[in-house]
């Protein structure tokens, strides 16, 4: 990390072919997962290959509008959800995707728990 934190960064733009997109959708259909879950699993595998880590946590925003009475309200209700997965070289991708699906669904059941409170209770630096 840099000695002085900053918000500088870059962007990477990529396009995938229609064939690849259809293949990803087919994998999702075969496993009962969403396209988001397929891409999350692939991203976890890439992070594992890049870092060698077998404990990967990816933060994702969630709408925070789980109650019907908040739908017509104006304002930000976004919360961050920490999705923890354990990719490894011994797992087949489809098996790992099933794990990601289960963990993602379980995490979304607890999406109302404020991320800031979670970090505070865990005492994470």
């Amino acid at each position: 990390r840099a000695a002085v934190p900053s918000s500088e960064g870059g962007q990477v733009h990529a396009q995938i072919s229609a064939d690849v997109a259809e293949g990803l959708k087919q994998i999702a259909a075969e496993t009962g997962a969403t396209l988001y879950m397929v891409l999350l699993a692939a991203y976890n595998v890439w992070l594992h290959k890049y870092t060698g880590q077998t404990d990967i946590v990816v933060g994702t925003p969630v709408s925070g509008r789980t109650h019907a009475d908040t739908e017509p309200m104006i304002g930000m209700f976004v919360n961050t959800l920490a999705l923890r997965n354990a990719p490894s070289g011994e797992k087949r991708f489809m098996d790992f995707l099933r794990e990601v699906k289960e963990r993602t669904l379980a995490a979304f059941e607890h999406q109302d728990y404020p991320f800031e409170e979670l970090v505070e209770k865990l005492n994470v630096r």
Side-chain angles (χ1 to χ4, degrees):
R1 293 185 182 220
V4 177
S6 75
S7 60
E8 289 185 28
Q11 294 182 358
V12 176
H13 297 275
Q15 292 184 8
I16 59 172
S17 69
D19 291 341
V20 172
E22 280 306 312
L24 293 170
K25 290 176 186 175
Q26 185 177 348
I27 290 170
E30 288 173 11
T31 58
T34 64
L35 186 56
Y36 173 80
M37 293 172 187
V38 174
L39 294 173
L40 177 63
Y43 183 56
N44 273 265
V45 169
W46 179 79
L47 287 172
H48 166 66
K49 298 278 187 193
Y50 186 72
T51 66
Q53 301 283 326
T54 56
D55 186 12
I56 306 286
V57 181
V58 175
T60 187
V62 290
S63 71
R65 293 183 184 263
T66 56
H67 302 289
D69 52 339
T70 61
E71 299 238 353
M73 298 174 91
I74 297 173
M76 287 287 289
F77 292 87
V78 177
N79 190 21
T80 301
L81 196 58
L83 302 173
R84 186 176 198 174
N85 290 292
S88 73
E90 292 82 43
K91 295 179 187 176
R92 291 181 54 240
F93 181 77
M94 296 298 263
D95 295 332
F96 179 60
L97 174 56
R98 287 181 182 92
E99 287 179 20
V100 169
K101 175 187 170 188
E102 289 174 20
R103 289 176 180 222
T104 301
L105 291 173
F108 272 87
E109 288 179 16
H110 303 285
Q111 66 179 305
D112 290 333
Y113 196 86
F115 180 73
E116 293 79 14
E117 190 174 323
L118 175 65
V119 171
E120 186 178 306
K121 285 196 182 233
L122 292 175
N123 198 22
V124 177
R125 292 191 301 156

